Amino acid sequence: MPNNLAIGTQGVQQLALKPAASQSSSGPAVNDTPNFGSYLENALNQVAAQERQAKDMSNKFILGEVNVDEAMISSQQALLSLQLTTQVRNKVIDAYQEIMRTQI
């Protein structure tokens, strides 16, 4: 069982913001911190990379180069990443709609 956990967590990557570069004495610069767009783009690129890896593992499984468990783990990781991305998108849309319904 611990061996399966080690294989399952191999492809999981944390989404981490880059630390801000050294700040000057005049105050924080706007270009030193990553913006939401770049963070979102990075996250989507990681999801796409997991999907490509799952496809490659599936092709290798068909050729007999990897075991079925490795292919299934890769496929499930890609599926979970896609489901998480979809749920985050749904929550963002719900929040936007709620803000638009707010009366001022």
Side-chain angles (χ1 to χ4, degrees), residues 55-103:
K55 183 178 178 182
D56 290 342
M57 291 293 278
S58 177
N59 290 338
K60 288 180 181 180
F61 172 69
I62 291 171
L63 296 174
E65 296 175 2
V66 295
N67 295 333
V68 68
D69 57 340
E70 294 170 351
M72 290 302 295
I73 289 170
S74 178
S75 175
Q76 287 299 311
Q77 286 176 346
L79 178 65
L80 287 173
S81 295
L82 184 60
Q83 288 175 346
L84 176 65
T85 303
T86 303
Q87 291 300 318
V88 169
R89 181 205 59 159
N90 291 343
K91 291 293 182 180
V92 168
I93 290 172
D94 289 343
Y96 174 77
Q97 290 173 345
E98 185 67 29
I99 290 170
M100 295 308 291
R101 281 190 292 249
T102 303
Q103 295 180 359

Side-chain angles (χ1 to χ4, degrees), residues 44-60:
L44 291 175
N45 287 338
Q46 288 181 359
V47 171
Q50 282 188 332
E51 289 182 358
R52 282 191 300 273
Q53 180 185 9
K55 183 178 178 182
D56 290 342
M57 291 293 278
S58 177
N59 290 338
K60 288 180 181 180

